[in-house]
C-alpha cells in the first residue's frame, strides 16, 4: 500500500518537543496514558454496539493487552475497541484541533512544576504523545469497528509522520513503542520488565473496568502460559469508603478528567429507595482552559448497572457546575437510553437536583472548615458558579451562601453578603456595589467618592456575569442590592433640614445651567442634575435606576441581541470650581455659543472617568488641543 508522509501541525510539533524533553518528571505515566486511551476505546465500542446492533464488531471479549519483547525492546498496548479510520488518525494525532493551543503552549513553558505541566497536557487529551518520552519510534496500527481497512501511523517524534492503509489490521488499536535504552538516573526504567509493568498498572490503572492482560514470561521447557489480568476492575463508587484509599480515588479522577493534578475534593453519594444510584464526583483544583468556550465538554460519566453509557451526560448537573467530574451509576435506566430521553426523564431530574445540592453543600463545608481550599475553589470556579444565581432560582440561596466578593472593606479578603450586612452602618438600608473591568478602575471611579468619604462599604464586582446576577437576585435578607452608578444616591440617612435647605438653594442656583446643558447634550443624555455622590470630580454619568448599563448593553450586542442605545444622566458636582465657573459664565454671557464646547468636554470627561470611550475620539482630541493652545 502507498505510504504518505505528513508534517506535524506547528502547535503539535511544539507540544511534542515539550512533551519529550521537559514535561513529565515521572516517565512511568506514559503507560497510564495509553491504557486510559485504550479503556476509552472499549467504552465507545460497547456503547456503539448497544446503539447499533448491526455493527459488524466483536464485543465478546473486550480487553486491553500489554505485550513486551525484550529482544526487540518493544512494548505494545493493544485494545479491541472502537478503533480509528484513516482520516481520524490524521485528524486526532497529526493536529491539535483546539482553539486554546497557543495558550496551552505558553502556560506549559511558564509552568513552575512538573505536576502543573502534566495537568495542562492531560486537559488537552494529547497523552498519546507521552510515548515519545520512552521511545525512539512509535507505531500505531488501527482499524475502526465495522470497516474493512486499517491504518498504520509511524513517527520518530520529530517533524513528520507517515500514514499507510493496511489490509490485515485487527479491530481496535495497538501502539508499539520502540523503547529507548533504560536510564534509571533520568527516571527511564526498563519497560520490558514484567514486574515494572505490573507495578505501574496496579498503581495507576487498577480501577479500569476492562481487564488489562499480560502474558507472563515463559520459562525454558514450559508450555505457553495463560495471560494474567493485572488490574482488579473494581468499581470504586460501588465500594465502601473505608475500602478505598484517597490515592485510588485520585487515580480514577485523573482517568475520567484527563487532568493529572490531584482533585480539590471528592464527593460520594448513595441514593436508595424507589430509584437507586451511586455517585462519585470530584471538584478539580484548577479550572480547565476551555471552561468558558462553546466547545467545552461538560457532564459526568453515566453508567447503568456498571455498564458505561455516556461520557459527558449534561443532564446530571446544571451548566454552572460543568467543572465537576465523576461517575454516576444508576440501577433503573435503560442501557440504550439517549440524550433526548435523559432530558425528559423524571428520575434524571431528581438526580440532578440532589447532586446539585450535594455539590453546593460540600463547597459550603469547605468554606466553613478550610479557608485555603475555599480560596482556591473560588479563584478557579467562582465566576462560573455565579452563573447559577441567574439560572437556578431554586438553589440561589445556597449559591449566595458560598459566594464571596471583593470589597472596599479589605483589599485582600473577600466578603460574603452575610458579612457585609453585619458591617452595615446604622441607618444604611441597601447593599451597595459597583461593576467594572478591574478593581483598580472601579475603586478610582467618581461614583465611589461619596461612599469613600463616608466610609460606606461597596462590593467591587469585576466579572462579566456580575452585571446580570445582581439584577436577578435583587436583594439579600431584605436589603436591596443597589449599584452606586445607577439612580439617585442619598447617603445622608435621616432627614437633615439644613442639608435639605442647602440642596434646594443649589438646585435653584444651577437650574438655568442644568436646563441649558440638557438641551445642548440632548443627543447623548436624558437629564442633567446635581450630584450627591461626587466629592472630588466635577461630573459623572449614571444610568437610570431601571436602565441597562453600557457594559450590559455591550454584552447583549456581543451575543447578537439588538438593544436600543440608552441615554444616560449627567451629574454635576456643585462644589467643584469647574462647575461653579461654568455656571457663573452661563449667567454672565448672553452669547453662550462658546460654552457649548465646555459642556461637551465636561460630559466626555465624565464618560472617560468611568472607563467609557468618547463618542468621537478625534473631535475630543481636537477640543482638548484647542483649549490647551489657548491656555499657553
Amino acid at each position: 500500500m502507498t505510504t504518505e508522509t505528513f508534517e506535524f501541525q506547528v502547535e503539535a510539533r511544539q507540544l511534542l518537543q515539550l512533551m519529550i524533553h521537559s514535561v513529565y518528571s515521572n516517565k512511568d505515566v506514559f503507560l497510564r496514558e495509553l491504557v486510559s486511551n485504550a479503556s476509552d476505546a472499549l467504552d465507545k465500542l460497547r456503547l456503539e454496539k448497544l446503539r447499533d446492533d448491526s455493527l459488524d464488531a466483536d464485543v465478546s471479549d473486550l480487553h486491553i493487552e500489554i505485550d513486551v519483547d525484550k529482544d526487540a525492546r518493544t512494548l505494545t498496548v493493544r485494545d479491541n475497541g472502537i478503533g480509528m479510520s484513516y482520516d481520524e488518525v490524521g485528524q486526532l494525532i497529526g493536529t491539535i484541533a483546539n482553539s486554546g493551543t497557543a495558550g496551552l503552549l505558553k502556560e506549559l513553558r511558564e509552568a513552575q512544576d512538573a505536576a502543573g505541566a502534566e495537568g495542562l497536557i492531560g486537559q488537552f487529551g494529547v497523552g498519546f504523545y507521552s510515548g515519545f518520552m520512552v521511545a525512539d519510534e512509535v507505531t500505531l496500527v488501527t482499524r475502526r469497528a465495522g470497516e474493512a481497512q486499517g491504518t498504520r501511523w509511524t513517527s520518530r517524534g520529530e517533524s513528520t509522520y507517515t500514514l499507510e492503509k493496511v489490509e490485515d489490521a485487527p479491530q481496535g488499536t495497538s501502539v508499539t513503542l520502540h523503547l529507548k535504552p533504560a536510564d534509571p538516573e533520568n527516571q527511564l526504567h526498563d519497560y520490558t520488565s514484567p514486574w515494572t509493568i505490573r507495578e505501574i498498572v496496579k498503581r495507576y490503572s487498577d480501577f479500569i473496568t476492562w481487564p488489562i492482560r499480560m502474558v507472563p514470561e515463559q520459562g525454558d521447557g514450559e508450555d505457553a502460559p495463560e495471560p494474567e489480568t493485572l488490574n482488579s476492575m473494581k468499581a470504586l463508587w460501588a465500594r465502601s469508603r473505608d475500602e478505598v484509599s484517597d490515592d485510588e480515588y485520585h487515580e480514577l479522577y485523573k482517568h475520567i478528567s484527563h487532568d493529572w493534578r490531584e482533585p480539590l475534593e471528592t464527593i460520594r453519594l448513595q441514593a436508595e429507595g424507589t430509584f437507586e444510584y451511586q455517585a462519585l464526583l470530584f471538584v478539580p483544583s484548577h479550572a480547565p482552559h476551555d471552561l468558558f468556550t462553546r466547545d467545552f465538554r461538560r457532564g459526568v460519566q453515566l453508567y447503568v448497572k456498571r455498564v458505561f453509557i455516556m461520557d459527558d451526560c449534561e443532564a446530571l448537573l446544571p451548566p454552572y457546575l460543568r467543572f465537576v467530574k465523576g461517575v454516576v451509576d444508576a440501577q433503573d435506566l435503560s442501557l440504550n437510553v439517549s440524550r433526548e430521553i435523559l432530558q425528559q426523564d423524571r428520575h434524571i431530574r431528581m438526580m440532578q437536583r440532589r447532586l446539585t445540592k450535594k455539590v453546593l453543600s460540600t463547597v459550603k463545608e469547605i468554606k466553613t472548615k478550610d479557608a485555603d481550599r475555599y480560596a482556591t475553589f473560588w479563584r478557579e470556579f467562582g465566576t462560573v458558579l455565579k452563573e447559577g444565581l441567574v439560572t437556578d432560582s431554586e438553589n440561589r440561596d445556597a449559591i449566595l451562601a458560598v459566594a464571596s466578593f471583593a470589597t472596599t472593606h479589605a483589599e485582600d479578603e473577600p466578603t460574603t453578603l452575610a458579612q457585609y450586612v453585619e458591617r452595615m452602618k446604622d441607618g444604611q438600608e441597601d447593599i451597595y456595589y459597583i461593576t467594572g473591568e478591574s478593581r483598580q478602575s472601579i475603586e478610582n471611579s467618581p461614583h465611589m467618592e461619596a461612599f469613600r468619604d463616608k466610609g460606606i462599604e461597596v462590593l467591587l464586582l469585576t466579572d462579566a456575569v456580575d452585571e446580570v446576577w445582581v439584577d436577578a437576585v435583587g436583594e439579600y435578607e431584605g436589603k436591596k442590592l443597589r449599584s452606586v452608578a445607577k439612580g439617585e444616591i442619598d447617603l445622608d440617612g435621616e432627614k437633615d433640614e439644613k442639608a435639605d435647605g442647602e440642596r434646594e438653594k443649589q438646585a435653584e442656583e444651577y437650574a438655568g445651567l442644568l436646563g441649558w446643558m440638557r438641551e445642548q447634550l440632548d443627543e447623548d443624555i436624558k437629564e442633567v442634575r446635581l450630584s450627591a455622590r461626587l466629592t472630588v470630580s466635577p461630573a459623572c454619568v449614571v444610568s437610570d435606576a431601571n436602565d441597562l448599563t453600557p457594559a450590559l448593553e455591550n454584552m447583549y450586542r456581543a451575543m447578537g441581541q439588538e438593544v436600543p442605545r440608552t441615554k444616560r444622566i449627567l451629574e454635576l458636582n456643585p462644589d467643584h470650581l469647574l462647575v461653579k465657573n461654568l455656571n457663573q459664565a452661563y449667567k454672565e454671557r448672553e452669547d453662550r455659543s462658546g460654552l457649548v464646547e465646555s459642556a461637551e468636554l465636561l460630559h466626555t470627561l465624565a464618560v472617560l472617568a468611568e472607563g467609557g470611550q468618547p463618542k468621537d475620539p478625534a473631535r475630543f482630541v481636537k477640543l482638548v488641543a484647542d483649549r490647551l493652545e489657548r491656555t499657553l
Side-chain angles (χ1 to χ4, degrees):
M1 303 296 289
T2 303
T3 300
E4 295 184 89
T5 300
F6 300 89
E7 287 197 356
F8 281 107
Q9 176 197 37
V10 173
E11 291 88 348
R13 189 162 62 244
Q14 292 173 339
L15 186 55
L16 189 54
Q17 292 308 305
L18 280 169
M19 198 87 165
I20 295 170
H21 298 296
S22 62
V23 171
Y24 284 102
S25 56
N26 177 10
K27 294 179 172 57
D28 291 353
V29 296
F30 83 91
L31 188 56
R32 174 181 67 187
E33 297 274 3
L34 297 181
V35 168
S36 183
N37 289 346
S39 173
D40 289 344
L42 295 171
D43 285 338
K44 289 175 182 176
L45 177 60
R46 180 163 63 176
L47 184 58
E48 195 86 8
K49 186 69 173 177
L50 280 170
R51 291 175 175 169
D52 180 10
D53 191 50
S54 64
L55 179 67
D56 182 17
D58 181 10
V59 294
S60 60
D61 181 28
L62 297 180
H63 64 278
I64 300 165
E65 185 179 328
I66 299 176
D67 186 29
V68 295
D69 185 330
K70 285 194 171 186
D71 295 332
R73 286 201 57 75
T74 62
L75 181 148
T76 300
V77 178
R78 184 180 297 109
D79 68 74
N80 55 348
I82 191 69
M84 291 179 281
S85 67
Y86 184 90
D87 290 340
E88 285 173 332
V89 172
Q91 291 166 5
L92 295 173
I93 298 180
T95 63
I96 305 174
N98 195 304
S99 59
T101 303
L104 166 70
L105 288 167
K106 181 174 181 292
E107 287 202 35
L108 274 173
R109 295 189 185 101
E110 295 173 354
Q112 296 298 308
D113 56 82
E118 290 177 23
L120 292 169
I121 285 290
Q123 288 180 25
F124 272 68
V126 290
F128 168 78
Y129 291 155
S130 65
F132 286 102
M133 292 188 302
V134 300
D136 292 319
E137 181 175 290
V138 176
T139 301
L140 176 146
V141 177
T142 184
R143 176 172 66 82
R144 186 170 180 83
E147 295 188 359
Q149 197 168 57
T151 304
R152 180 182 289 112
W153 178 99
T154 304
S155 177
R156 296 188 63 82
E158 295 165 351
S159 59
T160 63
Y161 61 91
T162 63
L163 276 179
E164 64 177 311
K165 296 177 180 178
V166 293
E167 298 295 342
D168 55 350
Q171 169 190 303
T173 301
S174 67
V175 179
T176 299
L177 309 179
H178 300 266
L179 296 168
K180 298 175 181 178
D183 185 359
E185 289 185 8
N186 291 317
Q187 298 289 314
L188 194 59
H189 302 126
D190 181 7
Y191 297 111
T192 64
S193 162
W195 182 89
T196 300
I197 299 299
R198 285 191 190 92
E199 194 273 332
I200 294 173
V201 169
K202 189 69 179 173
R203 183 171 6 128
Y204 291 126
S205 308
D206 193 52
F207 57 85
I208 296 289
T209 53
W210 304 105
I212 303 171
R213 298 172 183 161
M214 182 173 69
V215 176
E217 289 184 278
Q218 183 177 355
D220 293 337
E222 292 182 3
D223 294 333
E226 289 294 315
E228 63 175 300
T229 299
L230 306 182
N231 59 322
S232 68
M233 298 180 286
K234 291 180 180 177
L236 298 189
W237 56 90
R239 295 159 63 185
S240 63
R241 177 65 182 90
D242 56 5
E243 290 181 12
V244 186
S245 69
D246 287 342
D247 287 342
E248 288 178 296
Y249 280 138
H250 293 172
E251 286 306 324
L252 175 63
Y253 164 74
K254 293 170 184 178
H255 169 69
I256 290 170
S257 65
H258 298 290
D259 173 9
W260 306 125
R261 299 179 178 102
E262 304 289 300
L264 186 70
E265 183 63 49
T266 301
I267 304 170
R268 287 179 56 94
L269 180 64
Q270 182 156 340
E272 297 177 344
T274 55
F275 186 73
E276 296 185 4
Y277 60 92
Q278 297 158 318
L280 185 57
L281 304 179
F282 302 95
V283 177
S285 56
H286 295 265
H289 288 267
D290 51 351
L291 182 61
F292 293 98
T293 65
R294 186 177 298 176
D295 297 331
F296 181 72
R297 292 183 64 187
R298 66 180 180 88
V300 299
Q301 292 186 352
L302 175 64
Y303 283 70
V304 174
K305 296 176 183 174
R306 303 191 194 178
V307 175
F308 175 80
I309 298 298
M310 199 173 295
D311 194 34
D312 48 351
C313 184
E314 297 178 358
L316 289 170
L317 284 172
Y320 68 88
L321 294 179
R322 58 186 176 271
F323 54 87
V324 175
K325 302 298 180 184
V327 170
V328 174
D329 189 354
Q331 304 302 309
D332 302 303
L333 289 174
S334 167
L335 286 175
N336 60 356
V337 66
S338 68
R339 291 182 186 275
E340 292 72 27
I341 292 173
L342 286 174
Q343 296 294 337
Q344 307 299 323
D345 191 275
R346 180 173 61 88
H347 290 125
I348 291 291
R349 290 198 298 272
M350 289 168 54
M351 289 167 66
Q352 188 198 78
R353 281 198 293 271
R354 184 160 181 193
L355 292 172
T356 299
K357 291 182 185 301
K358 182 65 175 178
V359 172
L360 293 176
S361 67
T362 301
V363 174
K364 185 176 182 179
E365 190 175 336
I366 294 173
K367 183 177 181 298
T368 304
K369 296 181 177 179
D370 193 329
D372 289 340
R373 284 204 306 150
Y374 169 74
T376 298
F377 170 83
W378 193 254
R379 182 184 67 247
E380 298 295 325
F381 303 111
T383 301
V384 66
L385 196 72
K386 285 187 287 187
E387 294 174 10
L389 294 172
V390 182
T391 60
D392 188 358
S393 57
E394 181 182 345
N395 290 298
R396 187 171 288 161
D397 290 343
I399 299 171
L400 284 175
V402 300
S404 58
F405 312 97
T407 172
T408 54
H409 175 71
E411 186 169 340
D412 300 321
E413 293 183 18
T415 191
T416 64
L417 292 185
Q419 291 169 331
Y420 181 102
V421 170
E422 286 177 10
R423 292 194 294 262
M424 284 174 63
K425 290 184 173 294
D426 291 340
Q428 181 181 340
E429 297 179 353
D430 301 324
I431 297 171
Y432 292 106
Y433 70 88
I434 184 171
T435 59
E437 290 188 0
S438 68
R439 177 173 184 136
Q440 182 179 5
S441 67
I442 57 181
E443 275 193 306
N444 295 326
S445 168
H447 303 121
M448 295 284 290
E449 291 175 1
F451 294 87
R452 190 183 303 113
D453 192 50
K454 293 181 181 293
I456 296 175
E457 185 175 356
V458 179
L459 301 177
L460 307 173
L461 308 179
T462 55
D463 293 325
V465 68
D466 293 330
E467 294 280 355
V468 185
W469 76 257
V470 286
D471 286 334
V473 172
E475 64 174 43
Y476 176 77
E477 292 187 359
K479 308 291 186 182
K480 185 178 179 184
L481 291 165
R482 192 166 178 197
S483 170
V484 305
K486 292 179 76 171
E488 293 196 65
I489 296 292
D490 182 6
L491 300 179
D492 290 331
E494 296 180 3
K495 289 290 182 182
D496 184 334
E497 291 185 9
K498 184 178 179 181
D500 288 345
E502 180 67 23
R503 279 196 290 266
E504 287 178 13
K505 184 178 176 182
Q506 286 181 334
E508 186 177 331
E509 182 182 347
Y510 283 89
L513 175 66
L514 299 179
W516 175 80
M517 287 185 68
R518 164 74 178 80
E519 292 176 6
Q520 303 306 315
L521 301 172
D522 180 63
E523 258 189 54
D524 301 303
I525 61 175
K526 66 164 74 172
E527 183 184 349
V528 184
R529 67 189 182 205
L530 297 182
S531 180
R533 72 186 92 214
L534 296 174
T535 61
V536 178
S537 301
C540 68
V541 283
V542 301
S543 299
D544 221 343
N546 298 315
D547 284 347
L548 296 178
T549 62
L552 204 51
E553 285 184 17
N554 293 336
M555 193 185 307
Y556 284 130
R557 291 192 184 103
M559 293 187 296
Q561 298 185 31
E562 286 299 323
V563 290
R565 181 171 165 268
T566 304
K567 289 185 180 182
R568 303 181 73 201
I569 298 165
L570 177 64
E571 289 192 352
L572 304 182
N573 180 359
D575 298 320
H576 196 282
L577 190 59
L578 174 57
V579 177
K580 287 181 176 180
N581 289 343
L582 182 59
N583 188 44
Q584 189 66 31
Y586 167 81
K587 289 180 176 179
E588 292 176 353
R589 298 184 192 178
E590 289 187 11
D591 179 11
R592 301 185 179 104
S593 57
L595 297 180
V596 174
E597 289 183 354
S598 297
E600 186 179 340
L601 279 171
L602 190 58
H603 171 250
T604 307
L605 288 171
V607 172
L608 286 169
E610 70 162 5
Q613 296 295 322
K615 184 174 68 173
D616 186 345
R619 174 171 171 76
F620 173 69
V621 170
K622 182 178 184 304
L623 290 177
V624 172
D626 289 347
R627 290 301 171 102
L628 287 172
E629 185 180 330
R630 291 203 291 270
T631 60
L632 297 175

